[in-house]
Amino acid sequence: AQSVTQLDSHVSVSEGTPVLLRCNYSSSYSPSLFWYVQHPNKGLQLLLKYTSAATLVKGINGFEAEFKKSETSFHLTKPSAHMSDAAEYFCVVSDRPSGGSYIPTFGRGTSLIVHP
Amino acid sequence: SQTIHQWPATLVQPVGSPLSLECTVEGTSNPNLYWYRQAAGRGLQLLFYSVGIGQISSEVPQNLSASRPQDRQFILSSKKLLLSDSGFYLCAWDTGTANTGELFFGEGSRLTVL
C-alpha cells in the first residue's frame, strides 16, 4: 500500500522569501512522485515529477524538489516566492504493484499564502 | 496534442435531482480515466477509475456512479443528489498501460446542491 503525508495544511511566506512545502511518502515499490499546483476553481497542473532518474528535480516556475529515499521525503522548494505562487499544492505518490497500471495517491494539499 | 474537456463547468441542482457530468479526452487512445471530488477545504478523493470501456472501479461506496460508454468518454452520474454531493469534481486521464503515474486534469465542474 502507498500513502503520502503533507506535513503542513497551510504555509505562509512573504514575497521574495524561500518556500518549503513538505511531503513524506510510503510505498512498497519504487514509486514515482509528483507535485501539482491548483489555482482557485481550476484543474491541477503538473509542477514536476520524479521517476527514478535524477533525485533533484526541477520544475516549472522556479520550483524544485529532492527525492530522499532514506528519509522517504519529496519536499518542494523555491528560492523566492512570488505573489502568483499563492495556490494549493498537492504531493502525489504513484507505484505499480505487480506490473499493472500506476494508481496515484494524493496528499491532502498545502495551501501556500504569499504576503506582499 | 491531447486535450481533456469537462462539462458543465458550474451546476446548481436541488436535492433529489439527477446528475450527469461528462468528460472526454482527445488525441490519445486507451487512456485510464479518473473522477475525483474535492470538497471545500479538503484534498482530492478518488471516486472512480476506469482502465477500459465498461470497466469501472469504485473507490468509495456512495450515491454516485460512473460509466465509460466509449474509449475516451467518462460520465459521472447520480439518480438523486444529496447535499453532501456538493463539491468540485475533476476528471483526469493518463496514458493507460504505459502510464508513468502522471495525470492530466480537466478544468473541473463546480456542483452546488441546494
Side-chain angles (χ1 to χ4, degrees):
Chain A
Q2 60 187 16
S3 67
V4 59
T5 302
Q6 291 184 241
L7 298 164
D8 306 292
S9 58
H10 296 84
V11 170
S12 183
V13 300
S14 297
E15 190 175 21
T17 64
V19 175
L20 170 63
L21 305 183
R22 298 182 294 165
C23 174
N24 287 105
Y25 71 93
S26 68
S27 173
S28 303
Y29 305 90
S30 296
S32 296
L33 293 156
F34 306 83
W35 277 98
Y36 291 84
V37 60
Q38 183 185 31
H39 291 278
N41 294 309
K42 294 292 187 181
L44 278 70
Q45 179 186 17
L46 181 70
L47 271 180
L48 49 80
K49 60 184 176 182
Y50 166 79
T51 55
S52 77
T55 56
L56 182 62
V57 181
K58 294 187 183 298
I60 62 172
N61 301 334
F63 285 94
E64 63 181 38
E66 186 171 7
F67 173 70
K68 293 186 176 181
K69 187 174 181 179
S70 61
E71 299 176 11
T72 61
S73 69
F74 190 57
H75 302 332
L76 181 70
T77 60
K78 182 174 180 177
S80 177
H82 192 272
M83 294 297 292
S84 61
D85 294 328
E88 192 82 11
Y89 291 80
F90 293 94
C91 182
V92 179
V93 62
S94 188
D95 61 25
R96 186 159 66 173
S98 303
S101 290
Y102 283 92
I103 300 295
T105 297
F106 281 75
R108 292 183 63 83
T110 298
S111 179
L112 177 63
I113 302 161
V114 182
H115 299 286
Chain B
S1 64
Q2 301 93 350
T3 57
I4 178 170
H5 301 284
Q6 187 180 341
W7 71 94
T10 306
L11 197 59
V12 180
Q13 292 285 97
V15 169
S17 64
L19 171 73
S20 180
L21 301 179
E22 295 196 32
C23 173
T24 60
V25 180
E26 296 177 359
T28 188
S29 298
N30 305 313
N32 292 334
L33 296 171
Y34 303 80
W35 277 111
Y36 286 89
R37 177 169 60 197
Q38 190 175 25
R42 302 184 65 178
L44 273 69
Q45 178 187 31
L46 178 62
L47 301 176
F48 302 96
Y49 71 92
S50 171
V51 299
I53 295 174
Q55 300 178 64
I56 310 294
S57 295
S58 174
E59 291 296 302
V60 182
Q62 57 204 319
N63 185 43
L64 302 171
S65 62
S67 62
R68 184 170 177 175
Q70 300 180 45
D71 181 46
R72 290 168 290 175
Q73 184 184 24
F74 206 24
I75 299 170
L76 182 69
S77 303
S78 174
K79 292 182 178 178
K80 289 186 177 182
L81 285 168
L82 306 172
L83 287 174
S84 58
D85 292 324
S86 293
F88 193 53
Y89 289 81
L90 288 159
C91 181
W93 69 275
D94 68 27
T95 53
T97 53
N99 70 349
T100 61
E102 180 179 353
L103 291 176
F104 303 89
F105 285 85
E107 286 293 294
S109 298
R110 171 76 59 194
L111 171 65
T112 303
V113 182
L114 302 175

